[in-house]
Amino acid sequence: MMRTVFLAFFSVGLVLSTSGCTDFVELNQLAFIIGTAIDYAENGQIEVSQQIVIPSKKEDPSKREGSSSFFVMSAKGKDVFQATQKIQLRMSRKLMANHRMIIAISEEYFKKDDVRKLFDKLIRDPANNLRDTIVMIKGGSAKEFLMLNHPIEPLSTIAVGKELQINGMRSFSSRQFVIETLTKGARPFMPVLQIENVKLSKEHDSPVAELHGFAVLDHHLKVKGILGLPEAPGAIWMSGKGSSQGATIPWNNNKDVVSFRLTRLQRQMTSANGHDPKHMVLTVKAQAYLLENTSQQDMSEVENMMELQKCLNKQIQKELQSTIEKVQQWGPDVFGIGEYLHHNYPYWWKSQRDDWDDKFKRIEVTVKTDIILRSIGVSGAPVK
Amino acid sequence: MKVSGYQIFWMISISSMIIFSYLPIKLAAEKSYQDSWISILLGGLIMMTITWMVLRVCRQNMDKTLVGFMKDLLGTVLGKIIVAVYFLHWFMQMSLIAKGTADFQNLVMLHNTPMIVILSCMMFLAVYALYKGGITVIGRCAEIIGPFFVFMLYAQLFLNPQDMDIKRILPIYADSGWFSILEGTLSSVNYMIDPSIILMLFFFAENKQTASRAILWGTAVSMLWGVIATLVVLFVTGPSIAAELVVPIYSLSKYVSILNFVQNIDAIFIPLWIIGAFIKVAVCLFILSYGLSEWTGFTNWKRIGCVISVIWLAYVLYGSHNIRISNTLRSTLLVSFFYPLVYIGIPLILWFIGSIRKHWKT
């Protein structure tokens, strides 16, 4: 009898401790962080803001006014943890960063402080997943970005995450970013957002965070330049990170335009003549689908198709070449050409890898295009 | 007490995979970066050779455990002294795994649970298995857990194809050169598998022929896993991060994101690692207490097991307050003297003496 009682108590004790009851955290004791913002503060401090979702309001788009589905808490501290801890002290729930989608860093912070020191926390603390995206906020503060509303999405951060996904710019996770920061032959490329007032309906206009371009960062993560939207997709393509994009080119002696959807974006690097690392050839590949044609020509004719493909290749080549030259003037090798040279000319690379930002400027890069016209759409000649 | 070859296979593969997933990848990547997979591969081959050699020793002395044949070959006094080195080694392995598991759980999930609770649970389980029948029970457990464990660990490596970039291991050889690659091998090889447990386990095998085949296969399965795991870690994170990740396989499971939907699956893997650690710890505890009972002549090895586990608990708890004791992974004394002696030196001597004896008899 005693034995049974003893065993029963003992097993209850075991069950309680093995299920981790000493550390239980219920779902209603958690606060999910969806976005984090880093801003510059005086005296060597940083301001960390956390965007926390209010779960009960998330599924209620009808009551948009007045009751938003999130709130933002911020605090200053010497590092990310200290500031977050200050926020935690004011919270009734435990902060959980496992589901974060965006880390926004203000342009001011990039200028005045060292972004590299933020990454230790990202890798060291097991609460981070490195699946989120790091973006830069141009102009305003990053905290302001977290506080914005969005016309369709419940949170501005979710909107940005989806925006990048849907537009075929997927390889911008913070893991990717940290890897590029640590590699000697490639430099990171970071989405830049700008807060702009947009008139969304007749009654009111509201501030919305819009994709402004991509920042070209050097080895010390200082911004060397920002590629605007007409050029940025090309640069993403050339750095091997794009998956699809659109292209519009002049046609018929600049009288008309034609537009394409480009899919299966790829890029390939080779050195010219096969052995000269100082002269690189970057070949971009894609499949094009003609989706709009303002001219009167019948695109189902083979001659026109040939001409179209030739013209598309030529035009894209010209644009990409000028983008590369622009980036080369700034210095940072966002295309990973250094990494290619590192892989293929490892011994030559050893003498080049220090100061690559500077040496990259002197590498001659030629762009070649290999775009195939896959389809002219579902109508041949324009409807008259 | 007898175990089948099938059970031995699972015991060997689980106990080497558990330690493989936790230590050697970082140690190799620190030295040879993108070539760490070559280091691991070389280490795996070295370990396979050592396992083969240890098996030769075991086949020569099939009817005795390590304690028995050591006494036979080296004489009572010397044999007893040298076996004590093995006892020390198993005890340290056990504490290493126990401390690693407890620290990891404290860091990742159970922030407030006292370490003693986690350790006592693990210890209780190991002692319980020991009491219920020793190696037979551990073998049964391994047989049940093994297929899940090995399959899940292999499957995990292929869960982040979208993050993999094969080019991250380039350029091969040129950056590090042979010296760094060998350095990586030397610092990691000791933590890939523990061939010395075979010296004890083999005695309990039912059929020696199938058992030695099972042991070789078990080693091969975990070595293959280790090489693939190193490659995958390099593909996903690149060499610079891989060298910094303390628990690379755990970090790998954090990166998994299948269709932006299946994420944070580390919670599934953590229990699996704990179960794997249980097998490893239980095997060590069993051979330690059985060996000690032969060594002292005190036949009740179950009671010895209890005493050891209390000492073990005390040691791990004390060690966790002393950073120097609990971080001996890179200790030169261990890596360049102790492990080579335990894994290669002593078995080689035993093999040598055994062969001479056999030759003399015939």
Side-chain angles (χ1 to χ4, degrees), chain B residues 118-131:
Chain B
I118 301 173
L119 280 175
S120 336
C121 288
M122 200 192 315
M123 193 186 82
F124 173 77
L125 202 61
V127 173
Y128 184 74
L130 197 73
Y131 244 89

Side-chain angles (χ1 to χ4, degrees), chain A residues 22-23 126 131 175 342-343 350, chain B residues 110 113 174-175 236 254 264:
Chain A
T22 46
D23 259 317
R131 274 182 264 114
R175 181 183 54 86
H342 179 198
H343 295 162
K350 278 183 188 172
Chain B
L110 311 170
T113 310
D175 272 11
V236 173
K254 297 270 307 181
N264 294 325

Side-chain angles (χ1 to χ4, degrees), chain A residues 68-236:
Chain A
S68 63
S69 53
F70 65 90
F71 62 96
V72 175
M73 295 264 255
S74 57
K76 287 175 189 165
K78 290 198 180 68
D79 63 1
V80 181
F81 181 80
Q82 198 189 27
T84 311
Q85 197 56 30
K86 283 183 187 167
I87 298 174
Q88 178 68 71
L89 287 175
R90 285 182 274 141
M91 287 285 298
S92 58
R93 298 183 179 202
K94 196 168 160 44
L95 291 174
M96 180 155 164
N98 273 342
H99 296 268
R100 178 166 55 206
M101 292 185 83
I102 297 284
I103 299 174
I105 305 174
S106 69
E107 193 185 15
E108 192 190 9
Y109 188 82
F110 269 95
K111 276 188 189 139
K112 295 184 179 164
D113 214 325
D114 189 357
V115 182
R116 284 178 297 177
K117 71 182 184 193
L118 299 175
F119 295 131
D120 186 69
K121 166 89 169 135
L122 277 184
I123 304 182
R124 192 177 301 277
D125 189 348
N128 292 304
N129 53 31
L130 291 181
R131 274 182 264 114
D132 37 17
T133 308
I134 304 181
V135 297
M136 186 176 112
I137 307 296
K138 191 171 179 286
S141 73
K143 183 178 164 184
E144 218 174 297
F145 157 68
L146 291 190
M147 291 176 176
L148 293 182
N149 276 311
H150 193 269
I152 348 178
E153 304 296 343
L155 275 77
S156 57
T157 41
I158 292 183
V160 171
K162 284 188 171 176
E163 213 170 287
L164 290 174
Q165 280 276 324
I166 221 89
N167 289 311
M169 296 177 264
R170 288 165 197 218
S171 305
F172 291 96
S173 68
S174 50
R175 181 183 54 86
Q176 185 90 20
F177 184 78
V178 174
I179 291 174
E180 271 159 21
T181 316
L182 295 174
T183 351
K184 288 202 159 158
R187 299 287 175 258
F189 210 27
M190 188 184 268
V192 179
L193 301 175
Q194 197 169 24
I195 300 169
E196 269 162 53
N197 265 322
V198 184
K199 202 161 175 62
L200 293 168
S201 61
K202 222 174 193 175
E203 290 84 34
H204 64 279
D205 49 353
S206 61
V208 169
E210 286 188 335
L211 190 63
H212 173 79
F214 283 78
V216 174
L217 305 176
D218 72 354
H219 191 50
H220 303 285
L221 295 184
K222 294 287 171 204
V223 180
K224 286 285 163 173
I226 294 176
L227 280 179
L229 270 192
E231 290 157 321
I236 292 171

Side-chain angles (χ1 to χ4, degrees), chain B residues 282-357:
Chain B
V283 168
C284 278
L285 186 63
F286 171 76
I287 57 176
L288 190 57
S289 39
Y290 195 88
L292 268 174
S293 94
E294 279 190 320
W295 196 69
T296 53
F298 184 75
T299 42
N300 192 342
W301 50 268
K302 290 182 181 175
R303 203 154 288 167
I304 293 182
C306 285
V307 176
I308 292 172
S309 59
V310 173
I311 301 172
W312 167 41
L313 182 71
Y315 174 78
V316 176
L317 282 178
Y318 172 71
S320 67
H321 292 291
N322 186 329
I323 293 180
R324 208 171 280 285
I325 288 186
S326 54
N327 291 286
T328 50
L329 291 182
R330 290 188 201 78
S331 145
T332 352
L333 183 72
L334 283 183
V335 171
S336 55
F337 176 71
F338 187 76
Y339 290 127
L341 182 76
V342 170
Y343 293 155
I344 308 173
I346 299 175
L348 208 61
I349 294 170
L350 293 176
W351 188 24
F352 193 62
I353 297 177
S355 314
I356 291 178
R357 273 212 179 169

